[in-house]
Amino acid sequence: MVQDAGFFIGGKWTNPRDRKRFETINPATGEVLATFPLGTKEDVNAAVRAAKGAFEKWKKTPAPRRGELLLEAAKIFRNRKEELGRIVTMEMGKVIAEGRGDVQEAIDFFEYASGEGRRFFGQTVPSELPDKMCFTIRLPVGPVALVTPWNFPIAIPSWKSGAALISGCTVVFKPSSLTPLCGAKFAEVLEEAGFPPGVFNFLVGPGSTAGDALIRHPDIRAISFTGGVDTGKQVYKAAAERMIKAGLELGGKNPILVMDDADLDLLMDGVMFGAFGTTGQRCTATSRLIVHRVVYDDLLDRLVKRTEKLKVGDPLDPKTDMGPVASADQERKTLEYVGIGRKEGDKLLTGGEKLRGGAYDRGFFVEPTVFEVKANKRLAMEEIFGPVLSVIRVKDYDEAVAVANSVEYGLSSSIYTNDVRRAFAAMQDLEAGITYINAPTIGAEVQMPFGGIKSTGPTDTREAGPTAVEEFTYVKTVYVDYSGRLQRAQIDTAKFTG
Ligand code: NAD
């Protein structure tokens, strides 16, 4: 099915022939899915020019009208869900139910964001002076850059662009070079929905050149970035140089705390989904299981048995539990961490190998892996972003919280307990942007804010939910004095005479 794809700039598809091209491949089969031109600084300049040119008109389009186009996009995503879900699975390797889920998130978020067009609320505030009104309005910041990773190739772009577009911003979108086909399909849906030319632009290219040119472009007024911490820091610095907003969603090392009263059957279902869903390549993946000593041995036994039952293979087969990792690089990195665990003396309980033979030889398949580790080891502290779970034994709740909070990240967290006091204590005690009670660390819903603390990203932006538009807007304060005379705040202080 090799497609010869290009960029979407200023409402037109372009496919520059004078460029080197790169291939996007299916990580389960090695099959080439599409080729793309390598985007350059000139392409970035053209895309930003288009976004800048379209901005004033889009800004002045009433927000409820903007919402109608988002709703139209949601309908198209719904109609094309199966087709797009299969492309997600083929391009990044998550199992087909999750591929469809990726698209469902776009449907959900575009529907949600379209309604935000009718809820673009400001505040009305009393003035300290008579015959005077104070209120705030929200305005779009301008053309924005959206830079995304490969693990949710439809969902993450939908969160970012849905919020940016309803806010009245125009967009230049650059996805990861591992999932450009999903990016192009995403742009196709927005084109079909009828967004005016230049409002949404799409290109692909290396992060170090095209991505870098995009985040540093002087006409870009906000950057929304999801990816690794090191790249995130570069984006943050580039934004600081120009005093523009940067929404950053970076890594995670998400724990589930298992208390002595936990329902272990419920827990096991949650751990399998949390640790091995998306082949462990979620920013919110459960990568640490911090377990109370009382249930530790029982849990280890069940955990190994359940993990060994997981069926790894063709992600398009609905019976498959876990697909390949997304790339050769992801495979190398995952196996490298297995090596680190072995070298540091962590106990490998199951997995740890590349799967070989038959269809496995064509793709990047790694066994679901469980290690028993000490809390201060690299496997317990660093983001692996693959199907590797570290289990850590603790003596009580306090130690569990201390271990949970000992890493640099703070995205998602969870506790399994039937003690309501512990559950409520954990909501306060866990250093993370998200806490689940009796559910795994994954499973965000679009109407709720999403984001982390510590190295996961600055706390001043939250994607999704009612906070989503804050990333792309600023608050303007308006004073209306209808007294017909000069009134001086703080100076003409009226006395109460009644
Ligand atoms: P990455 O940081 O390598 O790349 C992310 C994006 O940034 C890509 O589009 C890439 O081309 C671009 N990029 C790379 N260098 C750049 C530069 N110098 N300037 C501008 N852009 C540049 O991340 P990845 O490997 O694609 O994704 C994996 C990472 O993403 C993991 O660390 C994971 O935790 C994180 N992630 C976080 C969340 C979240 O919401 N917190 C969600 C998904 C993934």
Side-chain angles (χ1 to χ4, degrees):
M1 75 172 265
V2 180
Q3 302 183 21
D4 184 15
F7 309 147
F8 185 65
I9 295 176
K12 291 197 181 70
W13 287 93
T14 59
N15 202 344
R17 295 287 152 194
D18 54 337
R19 300 291 154 67
K20 273 197 190 152
R21 300 187 74 83
F22 69 98
E23 295 176 339
T24 175
I25 64 160
N26 182 333
T29 62
E31 172 201 7
V32 177
L33 299 172
T35 74
F36 282 83
L38 274 175
T40 62
K41 193 173 174 180
E42 286 66 42
D43 299 315
V44 168
N45 290 342
V48 177
R49 227 178 5 257
K52 192 180 176 193
F55 175 65
E56 280 304 323
K57 203 163 166 207
W58 184 241
K59 171 186 168 185
K60 290 192 175 123
T61 304
R65 297 280 91 79
R66 298 197 292 255
E68 284 166 14
L69 291 181
L70 270 85
L71 200 56
E72 189 56 30
K75 279 187 205 149
I76 299 166
F77 277 120
R78 195 183 289 286
N79 291 340
R80 296 180 62 178
K81 180 174 170 182
E82 186 58 26
E83 171 215 341
L84 296 175
R86 288 178 74 83
I87 292 174
V88 169
T89 290
M90 286 194 286
E91 198 175 30
M92 74 70 61
K94 62 175 69 176
V95 293
I96 184 64
E98 293 184 25
R100 292 185 189 115
D102 217 283
V103 183
Q104 186 61 43
E105 222 162 294
I107 299 166
D108 294 344
F109 192 71
F110 272 79
E111 279 180 358
Y112 175 82
S114 78
E116 287 296 84
R118 292 195 181 269
R119 287 188 295 267
F120 230 61
F121 299 141
Q123 285 184 310
T124 312
V125 183
S127 168
E128 66 182 44
L129 293 164
D131 301 328
K132 189 177 172 192
M133 272 188 77
C134 312
F135 57 90
T136 63
I137 55 174
R138 239 174 218 293
L139 292 172
V141 293
V144 298
L146 312 182
V147 181
T148 60
W150 42 265
N151 64 337
F152 280 86
I154 297 286
I156 292 177
S158 78
W159 284 23
K160 293 186 188 301
S161 53
L165 292 169
I166 196 65
S167 297
C169 293
T170 52
V171 165
V172 179
F173 163 49
K174 193 208 85 62
S176 159
S177 299
L178 279 184
T179 49
L181 184 56
C182 288
K185 293 288 161 191
F186 188 86
E188 227 177 72
V189 170
L190 267 57
E191 178 192 20
E192 210 182 318
F195 286 91
V199 167
F200 182 85
N201 305 278
F202 154 81
L203 57 86
V204 285
S208 54
T209 52
D212 188 71
L214 180 57
I215 61 168
R216 292 179 201 286
H217 197 292
D219 290 330
I220 287 294
R221 301 309 308 156
I223 308 166
S224 185
F225 171 83
T226 300
V229 174
D230 291 342
T231 326
K233 284 180 183 164
Q234 293 180 47
V235 173
Y236 208 20
K237 281 183 198 155
E241 289 284 341
R242 301 204 316 286
M243 303 284 184
I244 63 170
K245 281 197 186 186
L248 304 172
E249 298 294 345
L250 311 175
K253 188 71 189 172
N254 314 290
I256 289 182
L257 279 60
V258 186
M259 293 296 100
D260 47 352
D261 62 343
D263 175 339
L264 294 191
D265 292 329
L266 180 69
L267 171 79
M268 275 310 133
D269 291 342
V271 173
M272 289 303 114
F273 184 45
F276 303 120
T278 323
T279 319
Q281 303 164 117
R282 289 194 188 212
C283 51
T284 52
T286 304
S287 55
R288 294 182 294 158
L289 205 53
I290 303 173
V291 186
H292 196 290
R293 63 185 162 77
V294 169
V295 288
Y296 190 76
D297 292 340
D298 184 13
L299 179 142
L300 276 199
D301 195 44
R302 289 170 183 235
L303 182 61
V304 171
K305 281 191 187 129
R306 277 291 296 266
T307 306
E308 288 176 352
K309 277 203 189 121
L310 291 175
K311 190 167 171 275
V312 184
D314 174 9
L316 284 172
D317 178 347
K319 290 199 206 76
T320 298
D321 297 309
M322 195 179 97
V325 290
S327 66
D329 240 23
Q330 277 297 106
E331 182 182 278
R332 183 193 45 74
K333 197 176 143 208
T334 305
L335 294 173
E336 221 168 78
Y337 267 103
V338 171
I340 290 168
R342 285 195 164 116
K343 206 165 134 209
E344 289 201 339
D346 303 325
K347 189 170 168 197
L348 180 63
L349 298 176
T350 184
E353 299 293 332
K354 176 175 168 56
L355 285 156
R356 291 177 199 281
Y360 288 140
D361 288 342
R362 292 197 293 274
F364 311 117
F365 292 93
V366 181
E367 288 178 320
T369 300
V370 181
F371 270 100
E372 191 178 15
V373 307
K374 294 271 181 287
N376 59 355
K377 295 296 192 64
R378 286 185 64 186
L379 252 52
M381 308 286 285
E382 296 176 18
E383 183 183 50
I384 300 171
F385 221 58
V388 181
L389 176 66
S390 298
V391 190
I392 304 160
R393 186 179 191 274
V394 289
K395 65 175 186 306
D396 56 18
Y397 170 80
D398 288 341
E399 190 184 357
V401 169
V403 168
N405 292 345
S406 66
V407 299
E408 66 164 309
Y409 299 104
L411 181 52
S412 188
S413 58
S414 151
I415 184 166
Y416 277 72
T417 181
N418 284 313
D419 179 341
V420 71
R421 285 172 301 177
R422 264 193 201 144
F424 273 85
M427 291 173 212
Q428 320 273 335
D429 294 342
L430 290 170
E431 292 174 359
I434 304 165
T435 294
Y436 290 88
I437 310 296
N438 291 328
T441 53
I442 65 177
E445 299 187 29
V446 301
Q447 69 280 20
M448 294 288 281
F450 180 93
I453 65 170
K454 297 157 85 176
S455 286
T456 299
T459 50
D460 56 347
T461 56
R462 287 286 179 262
E463 292 194 337
T467 45
V469 295
E470 290 168 15
E471 201 176 331
F472 301 103
T473 54
Y474 66 94
V475 169
K476 172 169 280 187
T477 304
V478 182
Y479 297 100
V480 182
D481 190 324
Y482 55 97
S483 69
R485 60 187 183 280
L486 173 67
Q487 299 196 87
R488 297 170 303 173
Q490 291 94 44
I491 295 170
D492 300 332
T493 46
K495 280 213 177 86
F496 179 67
T497 51

